């Protein structure tokens, strides 16, 4: 198997006046292919875990660039397009591949792009076609847009906030990808929009219990490959901001849809509901 991996991530506060350009990435992390350090940063564990997994399996990992900028305001348009096109060119050069495993954050916003990750994933899909597996790890403080859901096979987000589990979740991402590439599972993604804006620390109740519960569901049912809560990132004025549930099943779309809605309607998640209209 030949698998391409890369990372492009930051968390954009669209209300901040601080523009993020190439220098901001270079000051935090800007690694050329194969030069990512052995220690992962928040959004680049798919690369370091991918090295371990593919080495064990004897598969080929083709590394693209890895970039992370500390959170700031909008990304300069030229910077986003340069970093995006660098990865897309590397992917094109690596073709044919069997899978693409990316490290993203999910709350990037660039000048001229409300949904850079949706833009990047759609362009990745255009290059590889519909039969190649495309998946990514996300920070839960992200925007789960319809465009990115349509472009990717599945996402796995960190479960914990504070984010103590980004390496463990990269292992989950890779474990599902490996099983899918072996033909043992066929991941399909179900989502539910909770229509909420809030902050959900998982170190205390009620979220501690909710995360424990979704882990129990994952472990109890082999058809449930992964469950993630996209908390959302309220410091971004983008149309699809908000709290969403992701359920990844093994070919069980209807079951995943029902579980995503059931979890999204749990009373714990509706403690402070954002209403559709005035009441
Ligand atoms: Zn976060």
């Amino acid at each position: 198997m030949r698998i391409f991996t890369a990372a492009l991530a930051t968390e954009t506060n669209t209300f901040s006046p601080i523009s993020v350009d190439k220098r901001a990435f270079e000051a935090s992390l800007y690694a050329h292919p194969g030069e990512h350090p052995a220690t992962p940063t928040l959004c680049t564990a798919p690369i370091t875990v991918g090295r371990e997994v593919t080495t064990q399996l004897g598969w080929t990992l083709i590394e693209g660039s890895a970039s992370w900028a500390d959170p700031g305001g909008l990304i300069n348009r030229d910077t986003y397009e340069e970093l995006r096109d660098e990865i897309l060119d590397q992917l094109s050069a690596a073709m044919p591949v069997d899978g693409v495993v990316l490290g993203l954050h999910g709350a990037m916003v660039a000048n001229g792009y409300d949904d850079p990750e949706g833009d990047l994933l759609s362009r990745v899909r255009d290059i590889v076609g519909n039969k190649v597996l495309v998946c990514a790890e996300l920070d839960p403080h992200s925007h789960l847009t319809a465009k990115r859901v349509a472009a990717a096979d599945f996402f796995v987000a960190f479960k914990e906030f504070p984010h103590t589990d980004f390496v463990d979740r990269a292992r989950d991402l890779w474990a599902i990808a490996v099983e899918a590439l072996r033909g043992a599972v066929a991941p399909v993604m179900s989502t539910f929009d909770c229509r909420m804006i809030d902050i959900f620390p998982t170190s205390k109740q009620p979220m501690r219990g909710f995360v424990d519960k979704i882990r129990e569901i994952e472990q109890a049912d082999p058809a449930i490959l992964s469950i993630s809560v996209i908390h959302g990132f309220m410091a971004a004025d983008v149309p699809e901001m908000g709290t969403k549930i992701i359920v990844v099943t093994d070919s069980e779309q209807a079951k995943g849809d029902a579980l995503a809605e059931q979890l999204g309607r749990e009373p714990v998640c509706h403690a402070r509901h954002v209403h559709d209209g005035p009441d």
Side-chain angles (χ1 to χ4, degrees):
M1 293 286 177
R2 290 169 53 80
I3 305 178
F4 179 82
T5 188
L8 176 53
T10 187
E11 181 182 76
T12 303
N13 179 337
T14 64
F15 302 98
S16 166
I18 301 169
S19 177
V20 170
D21 62 12
K22 185 79 176 286
R23 291 169 299 175
F25 285 92
E26 288 167 345
S28 298
L29 174 71
Y30 177 62
H32 292 287
E35 294 179 1
H36 188 286
T39 304
T41 59
L42 186 69
C43 299
T44 62
I47 295 174
T48 56
V49 170
R51 289 173 180 166
E52 294 171 18
V53 170
T54 53
T55 299
Q56 282 170 3
L57 293 170
W59 292 3
T60 302
L61 186 70
I62 302 116
E63 294 188 20
S65 300
S67 304
W68 158 260
D70 287 340
L74 289 176
I75 306 174
N76 173 295
R77 181 176 189 137
D78 289 346
T79 299
Y80 166 64
E81 290 177 346
E82 178 187 337
L83 294 172
R84 174 197 69 191
D85 291 347
E86 193 174 299
I87 289 171
L88 295 174
D89 288 347
Q90 292 158 350
L91 173 60
S92 295
M95 289 296 288
V97 300
D98 301 289
V100 178
V101 181
L102 298 174
L104 303 174
H105 180 289
M108 268 196 304
V109 187
N111 269 312
Y113 294 89
D114 276 346
D115 181 14
E117 288 89 348
D119 173 64
L120 172 65
L121 287 162
S122 299
R123 290 168 188 269
V124 165
R125 181 59 78 193
D126 287 346
I127 291 169
V128 301
N130 285 329
K131 291 181 180 168
V132 168
L133 187 79
V134 176
C135 60
E137 187 179 28
L138 298 171
D139 186 299
H141 300 112
S142 55
H143 315 299
L144 191 69
T145 68
K147 187 172 188 174
R148 62 183 78 168
V149 170
D153 289 283
F154 70 96
F155 296 117
V156 173
F158 319 148
K159 283 184 169 61
E160 304 294 340
F161 169 45
H163 303 318
T164 53
D165 64 330
F166 59 92
V167 175
D168 291 333
R169 298 293 78 78
R171 294 190 192 288
D172 291 352
L173 180 81
W174 270 97
I176 297 167
V178 166
E179 289 303 293
L181 288 167
R182 283 174 163 161
V185 297
V188 295
M189 189 156 47
S190 298
T191 64
F192 181 75
D193 185 350
C194 302
R195 305 191 67 78
M196 295 172 67
I197 302 170
D198 210 339
I199 291 172
F200 303 97
T202 60
S203 54
K204 58 185 181 185
Q205 298 294 6
M207 278 303 287
R208 179 70 264 143
F210 191 70
V211 171
D212 290 343
K213 174 180 172 163
I214 64 176
R215 291 180 66 90
E216 285 169 18
I217 295 170
E218 284 176 339
Q219 285 158 14
D221 187 342
I224 308 294
L225 303 179
S226 172
I227 303 171
S228 294
V229 181
I230 296 296
H231 298 197
F233 183 61
M234 64 176 67
D237 185 14
V238 293
E240 292 173 81
M241 184 270 288
T243 306
K244 321 267 173 94
I245 305 286
I246 301 173
V247 175
V248 182
T249 61
D250 179 9
S251 308
E252 301 251 20
Q253 186 78 58
K255 178 176 181 167
D257 291 351
L259 179 59
E261 177 167 358
Q262 178 199 323
L263 292 170
R265 291 190 185 281
E266 289 262 333
V268 60
C269 272
H270 277 206
R272 277 178 277 175
H273 192 272
V274 178
H275 294 277
D276 295 338
D279 64 0

